[in-house]
Protein backbone atom coordinates (compact mmCIF):
# COMPACT_ATOMS: atom_id res chain seq x y z
CA UNK A 1 0.00 0.00 0.00
CA UNK A 2 1.34 3.46 -0.89
CA UNK A 3 0.92 6.76 0.90
CA UNK A 4 -1.67 7.71 -1.72
CA UNK A 5 -3.92 4.81 -0.71
CA UNK A 6 -3.72 6.16 2.84
CA UNK A 7 -4.79 9.58 1.54
CA UNK A 8 -7.69 7.99 -0.37
CA UNK A 9 -8.73 6.18 2.81
CA UNK A 10 -8.38 9.44 4.80
CA UNK A 11 -5.86 7.73 7.08
CA UNK A 12 -3.42 10.60 6.57
CA UNK A 13 -4.36 14.21 5.91
CA UNK A 14 -4.22 15.97 2.57
CA UNK A 15 -5.70 19.17 1.20
CA UNK A 16 -8.31 17.68 -1.08
CA UNK A 17 -9.51 19.92 -3.91
CA UNK A 18 -11.68 17.43 -5.83
CA UNK A 19 -13.19 14.01 -5.21
CA UNK A 20 -15.60 11.70 -6.98
CA UNK A 21 -16.18 7.96 -6.95
CA UNK A 22 -13.27 7.29 -9.33
CA UNK A 23 -10.57 9.77 -8.42
CA UNK A 24 -9.18 12.19 -5.88
CA UNK A 25 -7.14 15.39 -6.22
CA UNK A 26 -5.09 17.04 -3.50
CA UNK A 27 -2.33 19.63 -3.17
CA UNK A 28 1.24 18.39 -3.57
CA UNK A 29 3.09 18.59 -0.26
CA UNK A 30 6.20 19.99 -2.06
CA UNK A 31 4.68 22.27 -4.69
CA UNK A 32 6.82 22.97 -7.76
CA UNK A 33 4.57 25.80 -8.95
CA UNK A 34 2.01 28.15 -7.38
CA UNK A 35 -0.63 25.55 -8.26
CA UNK A 36 0.51 21.94 -7.93
CA UNK A 37 -2.27 19.39 -7.58
CA UNK A 38 -2.02 15.60 -7.85
CA UNK A 39 -4.95 13.81 -9.45
CA UNK A 40 -5.02 10.10 -8.68
CA UNK A 41 -7.36 7.23 -9.47
CA UNK A 42 -8.84 5.50 -6.45
CA UNK A 43 -7.81 2.24 -8.10
CA UNK A 44 -4.20 1.49 -7.14
CA UNK A 45 -2.23 1.20 -10.39
CA UNK A 46 1.56 1.32 -9.79
CA UNK A 47 2.71 2.96 -13.03
CA UNK A 48 1.33 4.00 -16.38
CA UNK A 49 2.98 0.83 -17.74
CA UNK A 50 0.49 -1.20 -15.71
CA UNK A 51 -2.72 0.18 -17.18
CA UNK A 52 -4.95 -2.17 -19.15
CA UNK A 53 -7.83 -1.67 -21.58
CA UNK A 54 -10.14 -2.03 -18.58
CA UNK A 55 -8.74 1.29 -17.35
CA UNK A 56 -9.67 3.20 -20.50
CA UNK A 57 -12.75 4.89 -19.04
CA UNK A 58 -10.93 5.71 -15.82
CA UNK A 59 -8.02 7.38 -17.62
CA UNK A 60 -10.37 9.26 -19.90
CA UNK A 61 -12.31 10.39 -16.88
CA UNK A 62 -9.12 11.76 -15.32
CA UNK A 63 -8.39 13.75 -18.48
CA UNK A 64 -11.86 15.25 -18.30
CA UNK A 65 -11.50 16.07 -14.60
CA UNK A 66 -8.03 17.66 -14.88
CA UNK A 67 -9.16 20.73 -16.87
CA UNK A 68 -12.05 21.18 -14.46
CA UNK A 69 -9.57 21.30 -11.59
CA UNK A 70 -7.38 23.71 -13.58
CA UNK A 71 -10.42 25.93 -14.05
CA UNK A 72 -11.31 25.68 -10.36
CA UNK A 73 -7.72 26.65 -9.50
CA UNK A 74 -7.87 29.66 -11.83
CA UNK A 75 -5.10 28.50 -14.19
CA UNK A 76 -7.09 27.15 -17.14
CA UNK A 77 -6.89 30.25 -19.33
CA UNK A 78 -3.25 31.17 -18.69
CA UNK A 79 -2.15 27.55 -19.00
CA UNK A 80 -0.98 24.52 -17.11
CA UNK A 81 0.93 21.28 -17.56
CA UNK A 82 -0.20 17.70 -16.95
CA UNK A 83 2.53 15.16 -16.16
CA UNK A 84 2.60 11.44 -15.41
CA UNK A 85 6.11 10.60 -14.25
CA UNK A 86 6.81 6.94 -14.94
CA UNK A 87 9.59 4.95 -13.28
CA UNK A 88 13.18 5.91 -12.49
CA UNK A 89 14.26 8.16 -15.32
CA UNK A 90 11.18 10.33 -14.90
CA UNK A 91 11.63 10.47 -11.13
CA UNK A 92 8.48 8.61 -10.09
CA UNK A 93 8.62 8.28 -6.31
CA UNK A 94 5.14 6.98 -5.45
CA UNK A 95 3.98 3.72 -7.06
CA UNK A 96 0.38 4.79 -7.59
CA UNK A 97 -0.22 6.67 -10.82
CA UNK A 98 -0.72 10.39 -10.31
CA UNK A 99 -1.30 13.20 -12.76
CA UNK A 100 0.58 16.35 -11.78
CA UNK A 101 -1.41 19.50 -12.56
CA UNK A 102 1.05 22.39 -12.56
CA UNK A 103 0.44 26.06 -13.22
CA UNK A 104 0.35 29.59 -11.91
CA UNK A 105 3.65 30.58 -13.54
CA UNK A 106 5.39 30.20 -16.89
CA UNK A 107 6.77 26.65 -16.94
CA UNK A 108 10.13 25.92 -18.55
CA UNK A 109 10.61 23.51 -21.43
CA UNK A 110 12.20 21.04 -21.82
CA UNK A 111 11.97 19.61 -18.30
CA UNK A 112 15.27 19.17 -16.48
P1 LIG B 1 6.45 11.73 -8.48
O1 LIG B 1 7.83 12.23 -8.18
O2 LIG B 1 5.99 12.00 -9.87
O3 LIG B 1 6.27 10.28 -8.09
O4 LIG B 1 5.48 12.59 -7.58
C1 LIG B 1 5.14 12.27 -6.29
C2 LIG B 1 4.67 13.54 -5.66
O5 LIG B 1 3.96 13.22 -4.48
C3 LIG B 1 5.78 14.50 -5.28
O6 LIG B 1 5.59 15.73 -5.97
C4 LIG B 1 5.61 14.66 -3.77
O7 LIG B 1 5.87 15.97 -3.33
C5 LIG B 1 4.17 14.26 -3.57
N1 LIG B 1 3.81 13.75 -2.26
C6 LIG B 1 4.44 12.78 -1.58
N2 LIG B 1 3.81 12.55 -0.41
C7 LIG B 1 2.76 13.40 -0.36
C8 LIG B 1 1.74 13.66 0.59
N3 LIG B 1 1.68 12.99 1.75
N4 LIG B 1 0.83 14.62 0.31
C9 LIG B 1 0.90 15.31 -0.84
N5 LIG B 1 1.83 15.10 -1.78
C10 LIG B 1 2.77 14.16 -1.54
Amino acid sequence: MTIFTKIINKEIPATIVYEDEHCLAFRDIHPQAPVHVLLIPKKAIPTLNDVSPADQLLLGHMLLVAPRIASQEGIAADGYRLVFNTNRDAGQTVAHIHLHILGGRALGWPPG
Side-chain angles (χ1 to χ4, degrees):
M1 179 192 291
T2 72
I3 196 161
F4 289 174
T5 295
K6 291 180 181 168
I7 290 175
I8 291 165
N9 293 337
K10 314 282 164 63
E11 291 165 14
I12 63 166
T15 304
I16 292 169
V17 300
Y18 176 88
E19 181 168 15
D20 65 28
E21 66 177 308
H22 302 296
C23 60
L24 180 73
F26 52 92
R27 297 200 189 284
D28 196 292
I29 204 165
H30 295 302
Q32 301 302 315
V35 174
H36 189 173
V37 170
L38 301 175
L39 174 61
I40 67 173
K42 289 188 172 174
K43 178 181 177 183
I45 302 169
T47 81
L48 215 48
N49 294 335
D50 302 303
V51 300
S52 73
D55 300 315
Q56 187 168 335
L57 279 175
L58 175 61
L59 294 168
H61 178 69
M62 289 175 67
L63 284 181
L64 290 177
V65 166
R68 286 167 54 189
I69 294 171
S71 179
Q72 183 181 297
E73 294 289 324
I75 57 172
D78 283 348
Y80 57 96
R81 186 168 294 161
L82 303 180
V83 176
F84 278 111
N85 288 325
T86 301
N87 283 341
R88 184 195 58 206
D89 277 1
Q92 183 178 2
T93 58
V94 181
H96 181 129
I97 62 170
H98 45 282
L99 184 60
H100 294 261
I101 302 171
L102 295 148
R105 65 171 170 82
L107 300 165
W109 189 264

mmCIF file of all heavy atoms in Angstrom, residues 3-4 7 12-14 26-32 36 38 84-86 90-95 98 100, ligand 1:
data_model
loop_
_atom_site.group_PDB
_atom_site.id
_atom_site.type_symbol
_atom_site.label_atom_id
_atom_site.label_comp_id
_atom_site.label_asym_id
_atom_site.label_seq_id
_atom_site.Cartn_x
_atom_site.Cartn_y
_atom_site.Cartn_z
ATOM 1 N N ILE A 3 1.425 5.619 0.133
ATOM 2 C CA ILE A 3 0.918 6.756 0.904
ATOM 3 C C ILE A 3 -0.354 7.320 0.252
ATOM 4 O O ILE A 3 -1.216 7.870 0.943
ATOM 5 C CB ILE A 3 2.038 7.810 1.036
ATOM 6 C CG1 ILE A 3 1.718 8.800 2.129
ATOM 7 C CG2 ILE A 3 2.319 8.501 -0.275
ATOM 8 C CD1 ILE A 3 2.907 9.556 2.633
ATOM 9 N N PHE A 4 -0.487 7.164 -1.061
ATOM 10 C CA PHE A 4 -1.673 7.712 -1.722
ATOM 11 C C PHE A 4 -2.924 6.898 -1.378
ATOM 12 O O PHE A 4 -4.020 7.470 -1.277
ATOM 13 C CB PHE A 4 -1.462 7.800 -3.234
ATOM 14 C CG PHE A 4 -0.481 8.880 -3.653
ATOM 15 C CD1 PHE A 4 -0.094 9.013 -4.980
ATOM 16 C CD2 PHE A 4 0.043 9.775 -2.731
ATOM 17 C CE1 PHE A 4 0.795 10.005 -5.369
ATOM 18 C CE2 PHE A 4 0.944 10.766 -3.104
ATOM 19 C CZ PHE A 4 1.326 10.873 -4.436
ATOM 20 N N ILE A 7 -4.075 8.308 1.750
ATOM 21 C CA ILE A 7 -4.788 9.584 1.542
ATOM 22 C C ILE A 7 -6.208 9.306 1.054
ATOM 23 O O ILE A 7 -7.172 9.917 1.528
ATOM 24 C CB ILE A 7 -3.990 10.490 0.572
ATOM 25 C CG1 ILE A 7 -2.714 10.988 1.266
ATOM 26 C CG2 ILE A 7 -4.857 11.655 0.090
ATOM 27 C CD1 ILE A 7 -1.773 11.788 0.387
ATOM 28 N N ILE A 12 -4.331 9.488 6.345
ATOM 29 C CA ILE A 12 -3.415 10.605 6.572
ATOM 30 C C ILE A 12 -4.006 11.835 5.893
ATOM 31 O O ILE A 12 -4.719 11.715 4.893
ATOM 32 C CB ILE A 12 -1.970 10.324 6.106
ATOM 33 C CG1 ILE A 12 -1.919 10.099 4.598
ATOM 34 C CG2 ILE A 12 -1.354 9.158 6.840
ATOM 35 C CD1 ILE A 12 -0.492 10.164 4.086
ATOM 36 N N PRO A 13 -3.697 13.004 6.427
ATOM 37 C CA PRO A 13 -4.357 14.209 5.907
ATOM 38 C C PRO A 13 -3.793 14.663 4.562
ATOM 39 O O PRO A 13 -2.633 14.413 4.237
ATOM 40 C CB PRO A 13 -4.064 15.257 6.991
ATOM 41 C CG PRO A 13 -2.846 14.782 7.688
ATOM 42 C CD PRO A 13 -2.824 13.284 7.582
ATOM 43 N N ALA A 14 -4.632 15.319 3.812
ATOM 44 C CA ALA A 14 -4.225 15.973 2.567
ATOM 45 C C ALA A 14 -5.231 17.091 2.329
ATOM 46 O O ALA A 14 -6.362 17.042 2.818
ATOM 47 C CB ALA A 14 -4.225 14.990 1.407
ATOM 48 N N PHE A 26 -5.529 16.347 -4.726
ATOM 49 C CA PHE A 26 -5.093 17.042 -3.500
ATOM 50 C C PHE A 26 -3.816 17.818 -3.804
ATOM 51 O O PHE A 26 -3.115 17.549 -4.787
ATOM 52 C CB PHE A 26 -4.863 16.030 -2.365
ATOM 53 C CG PHE A 26 -3.963 14.872 -2.726
ATOM 54 C CD1 PHE A 26 -2.608 14.926 -2.504
ATOM 55 C CD2 PHE A 26 -4.495 13.736 -3.324
ATOM 56 C CE1 PHE A 26 -1.781 13.866 -2.861
ATOM 57 C CE2 PHE A 26 -3.677 12.669 -3.692
ATOM 58 C CZ PHE A 26 -2.330 12.723 -3.450
ATOM 59 N N ARG A 27 -3.501 18.790 -2.938
ATOM 60 C CA ARG A 27 -2.325 19.635 -3.173
ATOM 61 C C ARG A 27 -1.041 18.855 -2.876
ATOM 62 O O ARG A 27 -0.965 18.139 -1.866
ATOM 63 C CB ARG A 27 -2.382 20.893 -2.300
ATOM 64 C CG ARG A 27 -3.560 21.758 -2.644
ATOM 65 C CD ARG A 27 -3.433 23.197 -2.184
ATOM 66 N NE ARG A 27 -4.726 23.857 -2.382
ATOM 67 C CZ ARG A 27 -5.200 24.254 -3.570
ATOM 68 N NH1 ARG A 27 -4.463 24.086 -4.652
ATOM 69 N NH2 ARG A 27 -6.390 24.802 -3.680
ATOM 70 N N ASP A 28 -0.054 19.017 -3.780
ATOM 71 C CA ASP A 28 1.244 18.385 -3.566
ATOM 72 C C ASP A 28 1.897 18.990 -2.326
ATOM 73 O O ASP A 28 1.874 20.211 -2.126
ATOM 74 C CB ASP A 28 2.140 18.574 -4.794
ATOM 75 C CG ASP A 28 3.324 17.637 -4.798
ATOM 76 O OD1 ASP A 28 4.218 17.809 -3.933
ATOM 77 O OD2 ASP A 28 3.364 16.732 -5.644
ATOM 78 N N ILE A 29 2.497 18.135 -1.519
ATOM 79 C CA ILE A 29 3.090 18.589 -0.256
ATOM 80 C C ILE A 29 4.373 19.398 -0.503
ATOM 81 O O ILE A 29 4.774 20.190 0.348
ATOM 82 C CB ILE A 29 3.340 17.365 0.664
ATOM 83 C CG1 ILE A 29 3.373 17.764 2.121
ATOM 84 C CG2 ILE A 29 4.571 16.589 0.251
ATOM 85 C CD1 ILE A 29 3.260 16.596 3.076
ATOM 86 N N HIS A 30 5.009 19.204 -1.661
ATOM 87 C CA HIS A 30 6.195 19.986 -2.055
ATOM 88 C C HIS A 30 5.919 20.638 -3.409
ATOM 89 O O HIS A 30 6.449 20.198 -4.441
ATOM 90 C CB HIS A 30 7.441 19.099 -2.147
ATOM 91 C CG HIS A 30 7.865 18.506 -0.846
ATOM 92 N ND1 HIS A 30 8.179 19.268 0.260
ATOM 93 C CD2 HIS A 30 8.012 17.222 -0.450
ATOM 94 C CE1 HIS A 30 8.515 18.467 1.261
ATOM 95 N NE2 HIS A 30 8.412 17.221 0.864
ATOM 96 N N PRO A 31 5.112 21.703 -3.403
ATOM 97 C CA PRO A 31 4.676 22.266 -4.686
ATOM 98 C C PRO A 31 5.831 22.814 -5.522
ATOM 99 O O PRO A 31 6.725 23.479 -5.002
ATOM 100 C CB PRO A 31 3.697 23.372 -4.270
ATOM 101 C CG PRO A 31 3.988 23.661 -2.837
ATOM 102 C CD PRO A 31 4.558 22.410 -2.248
ATOM 103 N N GLN A 32 5.798 22.505 -6.804
ATOM 104 C CA GLN A 32 6.820 22.972 -7.757
ATOM 105 C C GLN A 32 6.335 24.170 -8.565
ATOM 106 O O GLN A 32 7.040 24.650 -9.459
ATOM 107 C CB GLN A 32 7.209 21.818 -8.697
ATOM 108 C CG GLN A 32 7.748 20.602 -7.979
ATOM 109 C CD GLN A 32 8.975 20.914 -7.137
ATOM 110 O OE1 GLN A 32 9.884 21.610 -7.582
ATOM 111 N NE2 GLN A 32 9.003 20.432 -5.900
ATOM 112 N N HIS A 36 -0.039 23.275 -7.687
ATOM 113 C CA HIS A 36 0.507 21.937 -7.929
ATOM 114 C C HIS A 36 -0.423 20.943 -7.240
ATOM 115 O O HIS A 36 -0.378 20.758 -6.021
ATOM 116 C CB HIS A 36 1.929 21.820 -7.384
ATOM 117 C CG HIS A 36 2.620 20.552 -7.784
ATOM 118 N ND1 HIS A 36 3.948 20.315 -7.514
ATOM 119 C CD2 HIS A 36 2.170 19.433 -8.443
ATOM 120 C CE1 HIS A 36 4.291 19.118 -7.986
ATOM 121 N NE2 HIS A 36 3.217 18.563 -8.535
ATOM 122 N N LEU A 38 -2.164 16.986 -7.378
ATOM 123 C CA LEU A 38 -2.019 15.604 -7.850
ATOM 124 C C LEU A 38 -3.404 15.002 -8.001
ATOM 125 O O LEU A 38 -4.190 15.023 -7.051
ATOM 126 C CB LEU A 38 -1.205 14.777 -6.848
ATOM 127 C CG LEU A 38 0.216 15.269 -6.559
ATOM 128 C CD1 LEU A 38 0.844 14.406 -5.458
ATOM 129 C CD2 LEU A 38 1.080 15.242 -7.808
ATOM 130 N N PHE A 84 2.506 12.750 -16.080
ATOM 131 C CA PHE A 84 2.597 11.444 -15.413
ATOM 132 C C PHE A 84 4.071 11.051 -15.417
ATOM 133 O O PHE A 84 4.597 10.665 -16.467
ATOM 134 C CB PHE A 84 1.852 10.366 -16.206
ATOM 135 C CG PHE A 84 0.374 10.279 -16.024
ATOM 136 C CD1 PHE A 84 -0.478 10.638 -17.060
ATOM 137 C CD2 PHE A 84 -0.175 9.778 -14.857
ATOM 138 C CE1 PHE A 84 -1.854 10.510 -16.932
ATOM 139 C CE2 PHE A 84 -1.552 9.649 -14.710
ATOM 140 C CZ PHE A 84 -2.398 10.019 -15.747
ATOM 141 N N ASN A 85 4.755 11.136 -14.312
ATOM 142 C CA ASN A 85 6.114 10.597 -14.250
ATOM 143 C C ASN A 85 6.022 9.081 -14.146
ATOM 144 O O ASN A 85 5.203 8.546 -13.385
ATOM 145 C CB ASN A 85 6.858 11.160 -13.031
ATOM 146 C CG ASN A 85 7.232 12.620 -13.211
ATOM 147 O OD1 ASN A 85 7.550 13.055 -14.309
ATOM 148 N ND2 ASN A 85 7.173 13.387 -12.131
ATOM 149 N N THR A 86 6.855 8.399 -14.923
ATOM 150 C CA THR A 86 6.814 6.940 -14.936
ATOM 151 C C THR A 86 8.207 6.365 -14.732
ATOM 152 O O THR A 86 9.114 6.608 -15.546
ATOM 153 C CB THR A 86 6.207 6.427 -16.266
ATOM 154 O OG1 THR A 86 4.886 6.958 -16.394
ATOM 155 C CG2 THR A 86 6.127 4.903 -16.269
ATOM 156 N N ALA A 90 12.088 9.181 -15.007
ATOM 157 C CA ALA A 90 11.176 10.327 -14.898
ATOM 158 C C ALA A 90 11.045 10.808 -13.454
ATOM 159 O O ALA A 90 10.385 11.809 -13.193
ATOM 160 C CB ALA A 90 9.810 9.968 -15.458
ATOM 161 N N GLY A 91 11.661 10.046 -12.519
ATOM 162 C CA GLY A 91 11.634 10.470 -11.127
ATOM 163 C C GLY A 91 10.364 10.104 -10.386
ATOM 164 O O GLY A 91 9.996 10.766 -9.409
ATOM 165 N N GLN A 92 9.692 9.025 -10.816
ATOM 166 C CA GLN A 92 8.482 8.609 -10.092
ATOM 167 C C GLN A 92 8.866 8.086 -8.713
ATOM 168 O O GLN A 92 9.712 7.193 -8.599
ATOM 169 C CB GLN A 92 7.717 7.522 -10.868
ATOM 170 C CG GLN A 92 6.410 7.131 -10.165
ATOM 171 C CD GLN A 92 5.602 6.081 -10.932
ATOM 172 O OE1 GLN A 92 6.019 5.609 -11.987
ATOM 173 N NE2 GLN A 92 4.461 5.717 -10.378
ATOM 174 N N THR A 93 8.268 8.662 -7.688
ATOM 175 C CA THR A 93 8.617 8.280 -6.313
ATOM 176 C C THR A 93 7.478 7.577 -5.585
ATOM 177 O O THR A 93 7.714 7.004 -4.524
ATOM 178 C CB THR A 93 9.025 9.526 -5.497
ATOM 179 O OG1 THR A 93 7.949 10.464 -5.504
ATOM 180 C CG2 THR A 93 10.287 10.160 -6.057
ATOM 181 N N VAL A 94 6.272 7.661 -6.093
ATOM 182 C CA VAL A 94 5.137 6.984 -5.455
ATOM 183 C C VAL A 94 4.511 6.043 -6.478
ATOM 184 O O VAL A 94 4.123 6.479 -7.572
ATOM 185 C CB VAL A 94 4.077 7.988 -4.936
ATOM 186 C CG1 VAL A 94 2.932 7.236 -4.257
ATOM 187 C CG2 VAL A 94 4.703 8.989 -3.968
ATOM 188 N N ALA A 95 4.433 4.757 -6.127
ATOM 189 C CA ALA A 95 3.983 3.720 -7.061
ATOM 190 C C ALA A 95 2.462 3.604 -7.085
ATOM 191 O O ALA A 95 1.878 2.535 -6.791
ATOM 192 C CB ALA A 95 4.634 2.387 -6.722
ATOM 193 N N HIS A 98 -0.246 9.066 -10.726
ATOM 194 C CA HIS A 98 -0.719 10.386 -10.314
ATOM 195 C C HIS A 98 -0.431 11.369 -11.429
ATOM 196 O O HIS A 98 0.661 11.387 -11.999
ATOM 197 C CB HIS A 98 -0.069 10.830 -9.005
ATOM 198 C CG HIS A 98 1.399 10.596 -8.921
ATOM 199 N ND1 HIS A 98 1.941 9.356 -8.659
ATOM 200 C CD2 HIS A 98 2.456 11.432 -9.071
ATOM 201 C CE1 HIS A 98 3.258 9.444 -8.648
ATOM 202 N NE2 HIS A 98 3.595 10.693 -8.908
ATOM 203 N N HIS A 100 0.232 15.026 -12.312
ATOM 204 C CA HIS A 100 0.579 16.351 -11.781
ATOM 205 C C HIS A 100 -0.162 17.406 -12.602
ATOM 206 O O HIS A 100 -0.107 17.387 -13.841
ATOM 207 C CB HIS A 100 2.080 16.622 -11.908
ATOM 208 C CG HIS A 100 2.966 15.740 -11.087
ATOM 209 N ND1 HIS A 100 3.485 16.130 -9.871
ATOM 210 C CD2 HIS A 100 3.445 14.493 -11.296
ATOM 211 C CE1 HIS A 100 4.249 15.172 -9.375
ATOM 212 N NE2 HIS A 100 4.251 14.158 -10.232
HETATM 213 P P1 LIG B 1 6.447 11.731 -8.481
HETATM 214 O O1 LIG B 1 7.831 12.227 -8.182
HETATM 215 O O2 LIG B 1 5.987 12.000 -9.870
HETATM 216 O O3 LIG B 1 6.275 10.276 -8.088
HETATM 217 O O4 LIG B 1 5.480 12.593 -7.584
HETATM 218 C C1 LIG B 1 5.143 12.268 -6.285
HETATM 219 C C2 LIG B 1 4.670 13.536 -5.660
HETATM 220 O O5 LIG B 1 3.958 13.223 -4.482
HETATM 221 C C3 LIG B 1 5.776 14.502 -5.277
HETATM 222 O O6 LIG B 1 5.591 15.729 -5.972
HETATM 223 C C4 LIG B 1 5.607 14.657 -3.772
HETATM 224 O O7 LIG B 1 5.870 15.969 -3.328
HETATM 225 C C5 LIG B 1 4.165 14.265 -3.567
HETATM 226 N N1 LIG B 1 3.812 13.746 -2.264
HETATM 227 C C6 LIG B 1 4.437 12.776 -1.581
HETATM 228 N N2 LIG B 1 3.812 12.549 -0.408
HETATM 229 C C7 LIG B 1 2.763 13.404 -0.360
HETATM 230 C C8 LIG B 1 1.743 13.665 0.587
HETATM 231 N N3 LIG B 1 1.678 12.991 1.753
HETATM 232 N N4 LIG B 1 0.828 14.617 0.310
HETATM 233 C C9 LIG B 1 0.902 15.307 -0.843
HETATM 234 N N5 LIG B 1 1.829 15.098 -1.783
HETATM 235 C C10 LIG B 1 2.772 14.161 -1.544
#
